[in-house]
């Protein structure tokens, strides 16, 4: 996630006023009219940071670890993205010119397409191994009728009659210092310098149409709820030849009924009959990797764990897998027949346990601690 605080050079607990101040200062220094085209990217970063931190709702969201700009859900947000117009609005909004910088020529209609967010729900097994998925998403495409020009076939944009193609209009305003010439975007053409007399009928002059797309996504092993996979250039088409936005696929991992994930490790609980715990046994466990043998050693205590190395979750962006921890839950029989109870009494007699001695386990030993340690970090 972008560090917007660092971009603006403010502390995480900076006040609204400080953030605004820092933004204005940077914007003034970096505005392309002042610093030239080289600073345009940096200028956009600063504007993006302010878009989030300058808004208390978005800032709160960001502080919780979600970038409100990271990707925009659905069509509405995705349709436009954060483009030139937002910056334009901040500098020229209301016709003012807060920094003495003014639009000098017609604005470009070209805009980058918006980013789009879709969700994909995976089973735990799919998250363990990775999976190839098809997701359905509504995306903007370049209009086939006008090829994105926004004009009806056979027509062209016309120079704006009001600003004569300049994109700006000037007017004289009175101030304490005398008459001042101010420049503001032309209201007739929105600052573009051209108007579109015959908008394309198929896209209503937007240059884009929307349709449902099926997108194949290769989801790597190790993703978890909240992981976002970025498909660069697979989002909305840009406006008037602008580049495409990105498509983000956000993962939701379903709970599994048997296996629980903690990081790259998996945990499960295996019920072991009391007799098997005492005598030892080899038990077969149905894992995501098929049947696996679990060795229950003679004299196994409740709460013991058997680790099956490398049968956990695939590590995201690294090689290898975590481990599968099988927690052994020794089952005390509750349905003894008379005959079985008699056998157990004989065993108790043979072991001199008819009147069991009450031994308290030392601190650090005993099942209470083993269980606690086994579930630490849950
Ligand atoms: Zn069109
Ligand atoms: Zn105009």
């Amino acid at each position: 996630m972008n560090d917007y605080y660092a971009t603006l050079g403010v502390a995480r607990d900076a006040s609204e006023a400080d953030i605004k101040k820092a933004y204005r200062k940077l914007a003034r220094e970096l505005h392309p009219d002042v610093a030239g085209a080289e600073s345009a990217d940096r200028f956009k970063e600063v504007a993006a940071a302010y878009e989030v931190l300058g808004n208390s709702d978005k800032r709160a969201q960001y502080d919780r670890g979600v970038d409100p700009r990271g990707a925009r859900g659905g069509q509405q947000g995705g349709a436009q993205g954060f483009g030139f117009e937002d910056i334009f609005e901040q500098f020229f909004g209301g016709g003012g010119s807060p920094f003495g910088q003014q639009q000098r020529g017609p604005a470009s209609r070209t805009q980058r397409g918006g980013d789009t967010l879709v969700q994909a729900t995976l089973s735990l097994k799919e998250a363990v191994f990775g999976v190839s998925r098809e997701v359905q998403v509504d995306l903007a495409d370049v209009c086939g009728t006008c090829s994105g020009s926004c004009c009806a076939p056979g027509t062209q944009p016309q120079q704006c009659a009001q600003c004569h193609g300049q994109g700006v209009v000037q007017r004289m305003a009175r101030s304490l210092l005398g008459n001042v010439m101010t420049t503001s975007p032309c209201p007739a053409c929105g600052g573009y310098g051209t108007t579109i007399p015959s908008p394309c009928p198929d896209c209503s002059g937007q240059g884009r149409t929307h349709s449902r797309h099926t997108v194949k996504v290769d989801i790597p092993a190790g993703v978890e709820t909240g992981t976002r996979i970025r498909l660069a250039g697979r989002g909305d088409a840009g406006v008037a030849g602008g580049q495409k936005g990105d498509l983000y696929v956000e993962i939701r991992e379903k709970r599994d009924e048997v296996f629980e994930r903690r990081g790259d490790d998996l945990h499960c609980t295996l019920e072991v009959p009391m007799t098997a715990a005492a005598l030892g046994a080899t038990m077969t466990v149905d894992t995501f990797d098929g049947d696996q043998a679990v060795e229950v050693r003679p004299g196994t205590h409740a709460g013991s764990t058997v680790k099956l190395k490398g049968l956990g979750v695939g590590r995201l962006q690294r090689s290898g897998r975590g481990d599968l921890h099988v927690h052994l839950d020794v089952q005390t029989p509750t349905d003894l027949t008379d005959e079985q109870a008699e056998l157990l009494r004989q065993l108790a007699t043979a072991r001199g346990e008819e009147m069991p001695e009450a031994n308290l386990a030392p601190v650090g030993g005993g099942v209470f601690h083993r269980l606690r340690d086994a579930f630490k970090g849950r």
Side-chain angles (χ1 to χ4, degrees), residues 37-220:
E38 314 84 72
S39 70
D41 286 344
R42 174 90 177 100
F43 179 67
K44 278 182 196 156
E45 285 170 20
V46 166
Y50 184 67
E51 187 203 27
V52 174
L53 299 185
N55 174 304
S56 55
D57 288 344
K58 289 183 185 173
R59 185 181 177 186
Q61 205 182 339
Y62 176 73
D63 287 343
R64 286 195 302 272
V66 180
D67 187 343
R69 299 190 67 259
R72 287 143 192 268
Q75 214 66 317
Q76 324 81 304
Q80 182 143 307
F82 181 72
F84 179 71
E85 283 200 342
D86 303 57
I87 300 166
F88 188 87
E89 189 58 39
Q90 284 171 29
F91 278 86
F92 306 104
S97 167
F99 313 125
Q101 300 304 326
Q102 297 175 342
Q103 183 183 354
R104 301 236 168 103
S108 168
R109 289 185 192 274
T110 302
Q111 279 174 26
R112 179 181 181 272
D115 295 338
T116 303
L117 176 69
V118 286
Q119 286 189 332
T121 302
L122 303 190
S123 67
L124 178 55
K125 187 175 181 180
E126 289 170 327
V128 165
F129 295 111
V131 67
S132 183
R133 233 343 141 68
E134 286 187 339
V135 295
Q136 304 284 317
V137 52
D138 286 317
L139 290 174
D141 308 293
V142 172
C143 172
T145 306
C146 64
S147 306
S149 74
C150 311
C151 301
T155 70
Q156 283 190 334
Q158 277 178 8
Q159 194 184 76
C160 173
Q162 191 164 333
C163 65
H164 307 291
Q166 296 307 300
V168 291
V169 288
Q170 295 185 321
R171 67 192 159 89
M172 201 67 96
R174 246 177 239 285
S175 79
L176 285 174
L177 303 170
N179 290 342
V180 184
M181 188 75 91
T182 66
T183 305
S184 54
C186 170
C189 61
Y192 295 124
T194 54
T195 57
I196 294 174
S198 313
C200 167
D202 289 345
C203 63
S204 312
Q206 299 303 301
R208 303 189 301 181
T209 54
H210 291 86
S211 64
R212 199 106 177 118
H213 288 241
T214 301
V215 179
K216 187 166 162 271
V217 195
D218 287 320
I219 300 172

